[in-house]
């Protein structure tokens, strides 16, 4: 019997010939990411009484949450990270200007197929977009791995998700994942590695692959994975990664999966996750008309350049509804620069959007929070109670085009209504 | 055996409810404990503070990888969570902060709010009233981490013993 992606990758990361689901191994991550939690790792390291790091080149720090600092405490935490990185030879340090860790590390070419990556962020599954095993851990675990170089890992079972495409107009990777999360539920893939296959995935943009893998966390996945292909290689080249700088890993055709799920992309319609759980998913027609106070286009899920382009395609020549706040937070500085250069940013500003600095922003409740009784439609990945302000506020999750259509109408709206309208008309 | 009075929750208790993101500026379990379950209101918070065990349904601790969801519970005096299942990030964070996370569905069903629940790690059983519920024993490596009081004390001990491998 063949091996899954996870079994092969953990065999490599643990220096074992083969591994099987259920086995516990000591695995050596190629990259150890910490974001705003970096200061917690540094303080925890002090408790260990050592500052001898296993390999500073395997450590990456990105100041993405709470950036720029909003309090003296946060500023102090960031200062600690800055100074620690400088004094400990951590070259992969990205300051408050860079953007969201996941997107920045991918854009900077630090993430390559075949790697094992751990991060202080649950959405570290996103790295599967490049054929990487990425997973979230707590800050103590990152600290221990800084020093030891390895951590224990159980080789996970794998689930195969086969998505047949193409998707119909107005439907995106976000909708595919919300549909999957609704069907599998929030613990449908707990401890599992989720592999994406099928005609939809073949040739899909890296941006949309990132959305698929990012949201795999919301079914409880340990890893997510899209098989690397020519799209991956070309993308990596643009990020400055040579083709001989990595080794791709593919599952065997006779690998064992605990479950296989099929999604028919062609019949899929836009999906919305309703308060207060990500698996409370409904089709757009069941929630259309729900009034909102705020729309947020941001997060590691859906604030990449391609996401802003899609949102702008609806916002072009239109205006945000009176009394509604549209907040756009580009995922990274590179995304922001591209959006400025291409004119997408002007479209967003002309529509009435408030554009913030790159980073996690409102997704993590850093600015853009809600008052009691308010409602936000967000392109992010979580809608838990109180995540964006008041414990009495509500969050709906959807794609960037649903977000744009909703901002224009002031109520949750079907983007397909807009796509049919002539260019430049006022809705 | 460790344990005591339990507070019972349902399915899908997420990290943002256990420890809201706005309090992640702290890593002190005692400070964090003030805010454990804050979105559910002061009554639930008071109950949790007086119960060393939490009993829950499926997917306890789903959501964020924030370690403070586990360490905040430790700060509030919780010593064990018995649930039908755990999100993997919470499970790891629990072990790493010295909090027992035991998967035992029948014990979860058997335990009502306010009853006494005990966990015997050596014999790998949960005790609810007169009934015992076995669970698959932790691997020895995890028991060592728990015994040390969490991952950092465990690694610290290893380092002072002269090796991490």
């Amino acid at each position: 019997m063949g091996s899954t992606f996870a079994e092969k990758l953990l065999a490599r990361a643990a220096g074992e010939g083969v591994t099987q689901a259920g086995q516990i191994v000591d695995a050596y991550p190629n990259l150890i990411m910490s974001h705003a939690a970096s200061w917690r790792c540094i303080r925890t390291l002090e408790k260990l009484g050592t500052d001898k790091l296993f390999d500073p080149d395997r450590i990456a720090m990105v100041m993405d949450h709470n950036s720029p600092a909003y309090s003296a405490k946060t500023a102090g935490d960031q200062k600690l990270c800055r100074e620690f990185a400088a004094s400990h030879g951590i070259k992969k340090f990205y300051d408050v200007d860079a953007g969201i860790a996941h997107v920045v590390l991918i854009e900077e070419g630090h993430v390559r197929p075949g790697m094992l990556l751990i991060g202080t962020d649950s959405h570290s599954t996103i790295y599967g977009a490049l054929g990487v095993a990425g997973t979230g851990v707590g800050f103590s675990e990152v600290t221990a791995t800084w020093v030891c170089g390895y951590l224990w890992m159980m080789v996970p079972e794998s689930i195969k998700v086969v998505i047949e495409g193409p998707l119909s107009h107005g439907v995106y990777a976000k909708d595919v994942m919300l549909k999957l999360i609704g069907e599998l539920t929030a613990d449908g893939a707990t401890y599992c590695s989720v592999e994406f296959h099928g005609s939809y995935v073949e040739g899909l943009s890296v941006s949309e692959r990132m959305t698929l893998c990012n949201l795999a966390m919301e079914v409880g996945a340990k890893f997510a994975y899209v098989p690397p292909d020519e799209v991956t290689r070309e993308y990596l080249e643009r990020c400055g990664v040579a083709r001989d700088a990595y080794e791709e890993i593919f599952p065997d055709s006779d690998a064992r999966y605990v479950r296989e799920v099929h999604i028919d992309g062609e019949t899929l319609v836009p999906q919305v996750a309703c308060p207060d759980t990500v698996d409370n998913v409904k089709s757009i027609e069941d929630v259309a008309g729900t009034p909102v106070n705020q729309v947020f286009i941001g997060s590691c899920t859906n604030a990449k350049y391609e996401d802003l382009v899609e949102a702008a395609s609806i916002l072009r020549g239109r205006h945000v509804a009176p009394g509604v706040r549209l907040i756009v937070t580009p995922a990274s500085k590179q995304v922001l620069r591209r959006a400025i250069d291409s004119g997408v940013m002007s479209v967003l500003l002309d529509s009435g959007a408030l554009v913030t600095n790159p980073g996690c922003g409102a997704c993590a409740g850093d600015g853009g929070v809600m008052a009691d009784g308010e409602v936000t439609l967000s392109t992010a990945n979580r809608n838990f109670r109180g995540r964006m302000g008041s414990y009495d506020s509500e969050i709906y999750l959807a794609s960037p085009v649903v977000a744009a259509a909703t901002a224009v109408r002031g109520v949750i709206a079907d983007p397909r209504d807009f796509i049919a309208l002539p260019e430049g008309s006022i809705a | 055996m460790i344990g005591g009075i339990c507070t019972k929750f349902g399915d899908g208790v997420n990290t943002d409810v256990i420890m809201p993101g706005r309090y992640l500026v702290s890593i002190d379990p005692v400070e964090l404990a003030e805010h454990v379950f804050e979105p559910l209101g002061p009554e639930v918070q008071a109950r949790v503070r007086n119960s060393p065990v939490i009993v829950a349904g499926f997917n306890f601790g789903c959501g964020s990888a924030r370690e403070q969801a586990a360490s905040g519970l430790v700060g509030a005096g919780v010593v064990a969570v018995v649930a039908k299942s755990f999100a993997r990030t919470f499970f790891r964070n629990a072990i790493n902060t010295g909090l027992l996370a035991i998967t035992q569905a029948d014990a979860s069903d058997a335990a009502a709010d306010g009853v006494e629940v005990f966990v015997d790690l050596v014999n790998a059983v949960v005790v609810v009233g007169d009934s015992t519920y076995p669970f698959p024993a932790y691997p020895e490596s995890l028991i060592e981490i728990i015994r040390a009081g969490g991952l950092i004390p465990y690694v610290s001990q290893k380092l002072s013993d002269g090796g991490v491998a």
Side-chain angles (χ1 to χ4, degrees), chain B residues 17-53:
Chain B
V17 164
I18 303 170
M19 182 55 62
R22 66 201 67 169
Y23 302 117
L24 303 184
V25 289
S26 174
I27 54 172
D28 174 12
V30 177
E31 257 175 50
L32 289 163
E34 306 264 321
H35 307 291
V36 162
F37 290 114
E38 188 176 281
L40 302 184
E43 197 205 325
V44 173
Q45 288 187 283
R47 270 163 53 208
V48 169
R49 278 196 162 275
N50 291 313
S51 62
V53 177

Side-chain angles (χ1 to χ4, degrees), chain A residues 14-34:
Chain A
E16 310 245 352
V18 284
T19 66
Q20 274 189 346
Q23 192 179 336
I24 291 181
V25 298
D26 285 334
Y28 287 77
N30 305 88
L31 197 61
I32 305 162
M33 179 280 278
S34 53

Side-chain angles (χ1 to χ4, degrees), chain A residues 222-408:
Chain A
K222 175 174 190 156
F223 302 141
Y225 168 78
V226 173
D229 58 13
E230 204 46 34
V231 172
T232 322
R233 290 163 213 136
E234 281 173 15
Y235 179 90
L236 286 164
E237 264 185 338
R238 288 199 296 279
C239 298
V241 182
R243 289 184 184 227
D244 59 2
Y246 52 88
E247 204 178 319
E248 297 162 356
I249 292 180
F250 299 96
D252 293 324
S253 55
D254 60 343
R256 189 183 65 86
Y257 296 94
V258 286
R259 187 167 176 187
E260 206 168 308
V261 181
H262 287 258
I263 293 184
D264 179 11
E266 280 183 89
T267 58
L268 197 62
V269 300
Q271 305 286 308
V272 179
C274 302
D276 288 326
T277 60
V278 189
D279 59 2
N280 183 16
V281 177
K282 293 181 178 157
S283 291
I284 187 85
E285 57 266 27
D286 297 331
V287 284
T290 306
V292 304
N293 306 94
Q294 176 171 284
V295 172
F296 174 59
I297 300 179
S299 87
C300 48
T301 313
N302 274 130
K304 296 165 263 98
Y305 177 69
E306 292 79 355
D307 298 319
L308 301 190
V309 169
E310 295 299 338
S313 73
I314 286 187
L315 291 166
R316 187 180 303 276
R318 297 194 174 94
H319 205 276
V320 175
V324 172
R325 318 183 286 274
L326 169 60
I327 300 176
V328 179
T329 301
S332 71
K333 188 188 241 180
Q334 279 197 31
V335 169
L336 175 60
R337 181 173 290 131
R338 282 180 77 187
I340 290 171
D341 292 348
S342 68
V344 162
M345 196 46 67
S346 294
V347 174
L348 299 175
L349 291 170
D350 289 347
S351 76
L354 156 66
V355 179
T356 79
N357 61 299
C360 299
C363 174
D366 302 338
V369 300
M370 287 183 280
D372 289 351
E374 287 199 315
V375 174
T376 288
L377 184 126
S378 161
T379 65
N381 41 34
R382 286 212 178 108
N383 58 353
F384 298 155
R385 188 168 163 188
R387 186 171 173 89
M388 293 175 71
S390 165
Y391 297 141
D392 292 320
S393 60
E394 291 188 326
I395 307 168
Y396 290 81
L397 305 174
S399 75
V401 290
V402 171
T406 300
V408 170

Side-chain angles (χ1 to χ4, degrees), chain A residues 171-221:
Chain A
V171 181
Y172 296 85
K174 181 63 159 283
D175 304 298
V176 171
M177 286 311 292
L178 290 181
K179 181 76 181 169
L180 183 72
I181 294 162
E183 283 187 7
L184 290 185
T185 75
D187 60 352
T190 296
Y191 294 109
C192 290
S193 168
V194 174
E195 295 185 13
F196 294 101
H197 297 275
S199 61
Y200 167 66
V201 174
E202 293 161 17
L204 186 66
S205 72
V206 169
S207 173
E208 287 288 77
R209 292 179 191 197
M210 285 163 76
T211 303
L212 291 178
C213 294
N214 180 282
L215 285 165
M217 175 57 202
E218 301 309 318
V219 284

